[in-house]
Each structure stands twice: as structure tokens, then as C-alpha cells.
Amino acid sequence: MFRDAALVAGKDLRIELRSRVGLNQVAPFALLVLVLFAFALDPDRGVLRRATPGLFWITVMLATLLAVQRSFAAESADGTRDQLRLSGLDPAGIFLGKLVGIAAELLALEVLLLGGVAILYSAHLRELQLLLPTCLAAAVGLGAAGTLYGALVAGVRGRETLLPLLLLPIVAPVLIGATSAFEAALGGADLTVAQGWRWLALLIVFALVYVGAGILAFGSLLEES
Amino acid sequence: MEFVVHLRSAVSLLGRFPALAGVDLDVAPGEIVLVQGPNGAGKSTLLRTCAGLLPVVAGTAEVLGHDLVVDRRTVRRRVGLLGHATGLYDDLTVADNVHFWARAAGAAPADAEAAIDRAGLAGRLHDVQVARLSAGQRRRTALAVLLARRPELWLLDEPHAGLDVDGRELVDELVKGAAAAGATVLLASHDLDRATALAHRSVTISGGTIVSGAPADVAATTAATAAAAEVAHVS
């Protein structure tokens, strides 16, 4: 399973490196969203600073949709899904590989966006020991849920519009947990750092549940979609 | 005899609808069998069913000794399908694609490189993105993937389509080479002259059933040939 996961993750990351869609389109899109939020809330710098955690994670969610759609577009084109089914790769390995590919992209994007909020929103990036694990847990959770739902809608007509409808409500706990952990870390709300760790625990539970569900269910999804 | 493909009254589904409507077919090891028939007759469906991609819901269906109803995953690992789609990632290079699918099948990198070379893709096409290739070059890349995976059963759907003269000859060479090496080949083609010359025998499919070349026909033909030989011997 882990050999297959490494193979699929390597392939997906190589696709991103060769196509540069992440670098040339997803990252600029995410930065643009941050800039637009800054324009919208700039007259009141205090509101912008207080809203930074939420704006950060909404931007990550929007980028997640792009990353998931991109990841499964490659598996829908020109018979690649059939080849994947014929390959003999373990479905759980395929799931983990695609999850790692998406999570790695999201993690890189989150690091970029941290720089973005520091510059555009004047956010003080304190408590990195809480911020960075939050980024990692959220990336894994979003990647796992995104991979499951991406596979679910891959064979459906109108999948581009269906994916946000299905995925965004499911990942609401990530938005809530990650935003709260960030608020605790950035010190802009009433939350303490200790409370931030509890929100991080929620993110880890979410990620574990969806990784487990994906390992069990991905084979059926690959067959049915 | 243990057949590589053994279908009896096999019914498979395409979505919710029956695609094969009771197919009888036996293919022996090392045979090259041409599947012919009009458009929509069920040629591609038959190949996809043998590949384990479509569910068999009635009848008997065994491929490489495995029951397609209960053990499709094992069958899939051991067959290679070249369909209308090439199964390639556009953003990856020729070498990336062949190496990825070869490694997925457990083949060594050297096998992948040998397959690229054999398919005529070594040199300047080796590191070209698949999106930049012509249709014929994509087809050659898909052939290289098939070669690298070394399947025991080759399922080829219109393998000559989109290829130039050299490419079509390459397909013929590869098919003959595969059969000589012990693989079995089931191919569907509209290029009947070329495919008939390549195949050991042919079957005709229409409306999702085999209308000629089914095991009963083959048995009758064999019996008739044996009887004629006996008569000739006696006289």
C-alpha cells in the first residue's frame, strides 16, 4: 500500500511540476483572494486583523477546490481511470498517494499565504509551534476529504459545480477548527493558546477519520465512479 | 484444455444496461483472435469485459483461470488493454508515463526503457510531454506502456487506428512477438485485411452476442475437417 502511495504521490507531484498549474494559477489565485479581502476591509484595519484567521482559511478552502479538481481531472482524461483500475495498484495506496499530492500542494500554499497575511494584513505570526501543526493537520484533513469527494464526483456530469456543493459543508469543521487555532496563535481573539491546542486536536481527529474512511472506501469509489 | 478466455452465456452490464447478451467464447493460450463486427456490435464491450472493467452479471466468465464475477482485480493485473483512449497523462512526458505504468505493474525501469525503444520513441520523443504528441505518437506511447507491463492477455481495440504505415507494421510485429512469447491476443479491428492476416482465427459479434466463431461453430468446423480428412484417408 505505501509503495503504491509513494508511486501515485510522485506521479501527481510530477504532473504539478511539469504543468506548473499550481505555481502559475492556484498560488496567484489564492494571493489575489487575499488582496481582494484586503481591499474590501482595508478602511477598517482592525476588522481586517481580527478577520485574518477566517480569511486565511477561506482562501485555503477555495484553493483546495482547485487542487482537488485538478488532481481528479488528470484521472478522468483519456482513459487514465481505466488504466488505474487495470494497474493492479492498491486502491488504498492510490487514495493515500493522491491525498499526499494534494496535501503537499496545500501545505506549500499555506506557507505562501502565511507570508501573504503577514505582509498584507500585518498579522504577527507568533506561536509557530501551534500554527505549523495546524497547517499540516488541516492540509491532511482537507486533502483526505477532498480526495474522497473528488473520486465520488469524478465520473459525474457537472462535477466542477457539484464538488464545492458536497465538499465545502463537509470541511466546515476544518474551517472552524483551523480558524480558532489560528486566532489563539495570532492572539487577536479571546482564545488562549491552550484552547488553540484543543482545536488542533479536533483537526487531527477530522484528518484521521477521513484518512481511515478513504482507505476503506476508495476502492468502491474507484469502481463506481 | 485450460482456456485463457472462457465465456459461456456471459452477460455484462454497461451502466444499468446489458452490453453483452450471452456471449460464448473460448480463446486458447498463444492464440491471436480477431473480433469483428459492425459499429455498436459489442467489440469494445467484449474486450472491456475480458479486462474486468465491466461487471459480469450472468453466465460463466473466466479469464486467465480467474472468475471475473468474484476476482476481477487479479485478472486486471495480468491483462493489458489498448482501447480508443490511450490512458496517458498529458502533462507527463513519454518516459514519465511509461515508467509510471511499468512501475505500477511491478516492471523494472529497464523494461520501461526497452519498451520505449521498441515502440520507436527513444531519442527526441523520450522527454516530450504527451500533450505535444501527434495522435500516432500517443498511440505508440500507449503501446510502449502495454509492452512494459508485459501482460499475459493483450486486449487491443482498433490497434492500427491513427498510425502511419510504420506504426501499423510495428503493431503487427508486437502482436506476433507477444503471441510467440506465449501471450494471448484478442483484437478488435475494422482494418480487416491487416487484422485477418495477423489473426489465427476470427469471431463475429453482433447485437452483443457471438454470431460466428463461437465454441460450438469451432467444434463443428473441427469435426467436419476431421471427417473430411478421414474420408480422404479412406478413399
Side-chain angles (χ1 to χ4, degrees):
Chain A
M1 178 172 78
F2 293 111
R3 183 201 80 97
D4 293 350
L7 190 62
V8 172
K11 181 264 295 176
D12 278 9
L13 291 173
R14 183 165 287 152
I15 286 176
E16 283 312 314
L17 282 176
R18 299 248 191 250
S19 68
R20 299 185 178 213
V21 170
L23 192 65
N24 294 340
Q25 293 174 25
V26 179
F29 165 78
L31 286 173
L32 187 63
V33 172
L34 280 191
V35 171
L36 290 176
F37 279 140
F39 283 155
L41 300 173
D42 190 49
D44 188 342
R45 205 71 188 172
V47 171
L48 187 60
R49 200 165 301 152
R50 281 198 302 280
T52 293
L55 299 180
F56 177 93
W57 285 107
I58 285 174
T59 307
V60 172
M61 298 262 161
L62 295 176
T64 301
L65 294 175
L66 296 181
V68 171
Q69 279 176 343
R70 168 95 189 124
S71 179
F72 281 91
E75 306 303 348
S76 305
D78 204 21
T80 45
R81 176 170 292 251
D82 278 348
Q83 285 300 330
L84 212 51
R85 292 198 284 169
L86 289 171
S87 67
L89 291 171
D90 184 348
I94 299 173
F95 168 79
L96 286 177
K98 297 203 77 65
L99 155 63
V100 168
I102 293 171
E105 282 178 57
L106 291 179
L107 207 54
L109 187 76
E110 287 165 2
V111 171
L112 181 73
L113 290 179
L114 280 176
V117 294
I119 295 167
L120 293 169
Y121 300 175
S122 307
H124 302 295
L125 303 180
R126 292 172 298 189
E127 302 291 343
L128 284 178
Q129 71 275 23
L130 175 58
L131 279 184
L132 295 180
T134 299
C135 285
L136 179 62
V140 173
L142 291 172
T147 304
L148 258 181
Y149 282 85
L152 185 69
V153 302
V156 179
R157 204 174 294 166
R159 55 183 170 265
E160 295 84 0
T161 44
L162 192 57
L163 180 68
L165 276 176
L166 292 176
L167 184 60
L168 289 179
I170 293 299
V171 295
V174 176
L175 180 67
I176 296 166
T179 300
S180 300
F182 259 47
E183 280 176 351
L186 298 179
D190 297 332
L191 291 169
T192 63
V193 173
Q195 287 171 309
W197 285 105
R198 282 202 282 276
W199 285 109
L200 173 59
L202 171 77
L203 291 178
I204 292 171
V205 169
F206 181 94
L208 289 176
V209 166
Y210 271 89
V211 169
I215 286 173
L216 293 176
F218 199 75
S220 302
L221 289 177
L222 202 62
E223 289 299 319
E224 298 300 328
S225 56
Chain B
M1 175 192 281
E2 176 103 356
F3 291 107
V4 173
V5 176
H6 174 68
L7 306 178
R8 285 292 180 278
S9 308
V11 177
S12 67
L13 294 182
L14 194 58
R16 284 178 299 163
F17 304 102
L20 291 185
V23 164
D24 291 346
L25 180 66
D26 286 334
V27 181
E31 258 196 315
I32 304 173
V33 176
L34 165 65
V35 182
Q36 53 184 337
N39 288 334
K43 301 187 294 294
S44 303
T45 304
L46 174 61
L47 298 188
R48 288 172 61 78
T49 301
C50 290
L53 290 173
L54 298 179
V56 176
V57 293
T60 302
E62 291 173 5
V63 171
L64 294 162
H66 296 276
D67 189 339
L68 277 180
V69 178
V70 295
D71 199 9
R72 279 198 288 168
R73 275 194 66 191
T74 308
V75 171
R76 287 174 181 174
R77 266 187 224 121
R78 297 172 59 189
V79 305
L81 173 68
L82 178 66
H84 295 287
T86 55
L88 302 172
Y89 294 103
D90 274 359
D91 290 318
L92 295 181
T93 65
V94 167
D96 288 339
N97 269 287
V98 179
H99 277 268
F100 171 70
W101 291 119
R103 283 186 65 193
D111 293 333
E113 282 303 317
I116 291 169
D117 191 32
R118 187 79 184 84
L121 296 163
R124 70 181 179 85
L125 292 176
H126 186 272
D127 293 319
V128 172
Q129 265 188 331
V130 165
R132 295 173 193 269
L133 298 179
S134 69
Q137 290 166 337
R138 289 176 74 99
R139 204 81 179 147
R140 278 176 182 261
T141 310
L143 276 168
V145 170
L146 198 66
L147 271 176
R149 291 188 61 210
R150 296 188 179 189
E152 293 163 68
L153 172 62
W154 292 41
L155 302 163
L156 308 176
D157 197 356
E158 300 292 349
H160 301 104
L163 289 170
D164 56 17
V165 175
D166 287 348
R168 279 180 244 156
E169 283 173 6
L170 172 70
V171 169
D172 293 353
E173 279 175 32
L174 295 180
V175 168
K176 285 176 191 166
T184 306
V185 183
L186 202 53
L187 73 114
S189 180
H190 285 297
D191 189 349
L192 289 183
D193 290 341
R194 183 174 282 275
T196 306
L198 189 59
H200 297 139
R201 66 184 174 94
S202 68
V203 299
T204 306
I205 189 167
S206 181
T209 58
I210 302 285
V211 293
S212 78
D217 301 334
V218 174
T221 307
T222 308
T225 308
E230 183 71 19
V231 168
H233 178 70
V234 169
S235 55

